[in-house]
Amino acid sequence: MSAAVPLVVDLDGTLTLTDTLVESVVLLARQSPSSLLRLPFWLLRGREALKSEIARRVELPAAQLPYREELLDYLRAEKAAGREIVLATAAHRKIADDVAAHLGLFDRVLATDETRNLKGSNKLAAIREEVGPEFAYAGDSPADLAVWKGAQAALLVGASESLARQVRREHVVEKEFARPAAGLRVWRKALRVHQWAKNVLLFVPMLTAFSFAPADIATMLLAFLCFSLAASATYIANDLWDLGNDRQHPRKRLRPFASGVLPITSGVAAAAGLMAVAFGLAVLGVNAGFAAMLLAYVVMTTTYSWSLKEYVLVDVMALSILYTMRIVTGSVAVGIETSSWLLAFSLFVFLSLALVKRCSELKALQGSGGNSTRGRDYRVSDLAVLWPMGLASAMSAVVVFGLYIHAPETQARYATPTLLWAAVALLIYWLGRLWIKTGRDEMDDDPVLYALKDRGSRLVVIAMGVVMGCAYFFDLAAIF
């Protein structure tokens, strides 16, 4: 297409991989949750009024939006060749001006204001009025068909195949840009299926009680599924809630929602659907007590994600409680009583593991020359306190285990309780090994997931299970 023909570019879904209105609503929910109740009343006054009211209350950071880099490269090349580049969007003018100022690409900006929502035929009229009758238009959605009808050429940016076929039949296509793949692999990443491994903690009460009735195993498998689906829903909600921080993180910015590969609206729908299925199966397939514990877990983990994780030490204490809640929830699912020994042991162990995670993050931050974490109230100097606190928590768990061996109920339950001291030795080795790995900057993952993936950790945990099984089933004094 000739450089004499201006190139008009849409914003939402075209220049960016996200919808700025939806992003603004999420930001509004973070800053002023009560304002969400006013959205229907603003919408009754028209979409332009809705966008104006939201834009008046939130500042959407243009620098953090996920842009289509391949389209930006094309626009820069066209501008260098002397072509006029125009931004025309249904987003509010405040957002459009911020994006234009950030990118420094556009000669003119057309956007929604308090009097007109610049979408469809309204956008076409504004383009003809400001740019002229001849222009090429870059868009992505069926709403852009009205604009393409008045354009001399179309640029398809992330359009669906059905829409692309229609545009190719009716218009000259100047350029096409494919949409990012959002298949099963991307959704697995969004759902964090690998995190489901943590939910094996539900089976701990059954394992420690050596109760393996087929009916209980079936119930626990269903409980595991319910818990995992609900957990995935909370992971999605957390990602949507924390978009701004994730986009400033070197690794988390690649998450499906932060990067714009998956739309926010799809995330909201997926989270709601997963939560509905999880609680439906919990009530109908497990029991009401399990459903209540699952609800308590969801409330606790949501509170952690939206608030508690921002407070020093409170976050690691909350994490230890969340891990312990998995064990308690497993006991409720099959009606096995959870001993106070197991609860105390779990709290200390998981507090130590939560501190491993924080110390690992701070060590990495220290290595990169940073001083404080973003979104969390931690500094590199806190390692002087967190490190001994984590080791003390680990040794406290060891002490609880040792006291448990001499408890009357343990002496009565196990055939050879003295053999459990071998498990204590293995526990000391395992916890110490995790902290040594952290000190060597080799703990680059969640410590619970690391323990499941690390060959050495798996061998130690299996050995502990074998020792406890032998102590439970075999009376070594009678044998020897």
Side-chain angles (χ1 to χ4, degrees), residues 17-19 22-23 179 182 186-187 236 240 243 256-257 259-270:
L17 287 160
T18 188
D19 187 313
V22 176
E23 294 242 359
R179 63 167 57 188
V186 174
W187 273 106
I236 291 174
L240 298 180
L243 282 174
F257 297 106
S259 64
V261 176
L262 290 179
I264 295 174
T265 50
S266 296
V268 172

Side-chain angles (χ1 to χ4, degrees), residues 188-237:
R188 282 185 61 189
K189 186 175 181 180
L191 298 176
R192 298 191 205 172
V193 173
H194 65 284
Q195 296 278 7
W196 290 11
K198 296 178 182 178
N199 300 329
V200 298
L201 293 171
L202 292 167
F203 292 87
V204 168
M206 180 184 295
L207 295 173
T208 56
F210 295 92
S211 175
F212 306 111
D216 287 347
I217 294 174
T219 299
M220 284 305 304
L221 288 173
L222 182 59
F224 175 87
L225 177 62
C226 295
F227 211 96
S228 299
L229 294 178
S232 287
T234 63
Y235 293 144
I236 291 174

Side-chain angles (χ1 to χ4, degrees), residues 135-475:
F135 62 92
Y137 179 72
D140 68 290
S141 72
D144 295 316
L145 287 171
V147 185
W148 276 318
K149 286 182 179 178
Q152 275 59 57
L155 284 83
L156 294 169
V157 185
S160 65
E161 185 54 37
S162 59
L163 177 63
R165 283 197 299 268
Q166 180 179 350
V167 174
R168 291 185 198 114
R169 286 196 305 266
E170 300 174 1
H171 307 282
V172 175
V173 175
E174 176 181 331
K175 188 78 173 177
E176 293 192 35
F177 300 87
R179 63 167 57 188
L184 182 60
R185 184 177 180 181
V186 174
W187 273 106
R188 282 185 61 189
K189 186 175 181 180
L191 298 176
R192 298 191 205 172
V193 173
H194 65 284
Q195 296 278 7
W196 290 11
K198 296 178 182 178
N199 300 329
V200 298
L201 293 171
L202 292 167
F203 292 87
V204 168
M206 180 184 295
L207 295 173
T208 56
F210 295 92
S211 175
F212 306 111
D216 287 347
I217 294 174
T219 299
M220 284 305 304
L221 288 173
L222 182 59
F224 175 87
L225 177 62
C226 295
F227 211 96
S228 299
L229 294 178
S232 287
T234 63
Y235 293 144
I236 291 174
N238 179 51
D239 284 354
L240 298 180
W241 188 258
D242 218 22
L243 282 174
N245 287 330
D246 284 355
R247 285 173 179 159
Q248 298 176 70
H249 191 280
R251 178 172 49 83
K252 294 179 181 180
R253 65 183 178 83
L254 300 176
R255 285 177 173 175
F257 297 106
S259 64
V261 176
L262 290 179
I264 295 174
T265 50
S266 296
V268 172
L274 289 169
M275 201 66 78
V277 172
F279 278 97
L281 290 175
V283 173
L284 299 176
V286 187
N287 57 57
F290 170 78
M293 286 298 301
L294 181 59
L295 177 60
Y297 173 84
V298 169
V299 171
M300 179 68 177
T301 193
T302 302
T303 304
Y304 166 80
S305 297
W306 292 5
S307 175
L308 298 181
K309 71 178 184 180
E310 299 176 1
Y311 299 96
V312 65
L313 293 183
V314 172
D315 67 325
V316 291
M317 294 171 66
L319 282 175
S320 69
I321 293 172
L322 285 169
Y323 280 118
T324 303
M325 285 181 71
R326 286 176 166 92
I327 295 175
V328 176
T329 303
S331 69
V332 172
V334 291
I336 296 175
E337 184 179 356
T338 305
S339 71
S340 57
W341 292 107
L342 179 57
L343 292 178
F345 174 80
S346 299
L347 286 170
F348 281 122
V349 163
F350 292 123
L351 178 59
S352 181
L353 294 182
L355 288 165
V356 161
K357 185 175 178 66
R358 290 294 166 264
C359 288
S360 174
E361 292 171 349
L362 289 173
K363 284 276 290 178
L365 185 65
Q366 185 181 44
S368 64
N371 179 59
S372 58
T373 55
R374 183 178 297 275
R376 299 181 190 274
D377 187 20
Y378 284 99
R379 302 172 185 174
V380 168
S381 59
D382 295 334
L383 282 168
V385 175
L386 298 179
W387 205 279
M389 186 176 178
L391 291 170
S393 298
M395 291 305 101
S396 295
V398 172
V399 170
V400 170
F401 198 169
L403 293 173
Y404 166 72
I405 294 173
H406 290 284
E409 58 267 37
T410 309
Q411 295 291 318
R413 172 180 292 183
Y414 285 83
T416 311
T418 306
L419 191 57
L420 292 174
W421 284 106
V424 172
L426 289 167
L427 178 64
I428 293 173
Y429 169 76
W430 180 65
L431 291 171
R433 186 173 184 271
L434 289 180
W435 278 100
I436 288 174
K437 291 287 187 181
T438 304
R440 294 176 178 176
D441 288 333
E442 296 177 12
M443 185 64 64
D444 58 353
D445 205 343
D446 186 298
V448 176
L449 292 179
Y450 178 87
L452 293 170
K453 294 189 298 184
D454 176 59
R455 182 173 178 271
S457 291
R458 289 200 305 269
L459 290 175
V460 172
V461 171
I462 291 171
M464 288 176 64
V466 171
V467 167
M468 294 185 70
C470 291
Y472 183 84
F473 289 108
F474 301 113
D475 183 353

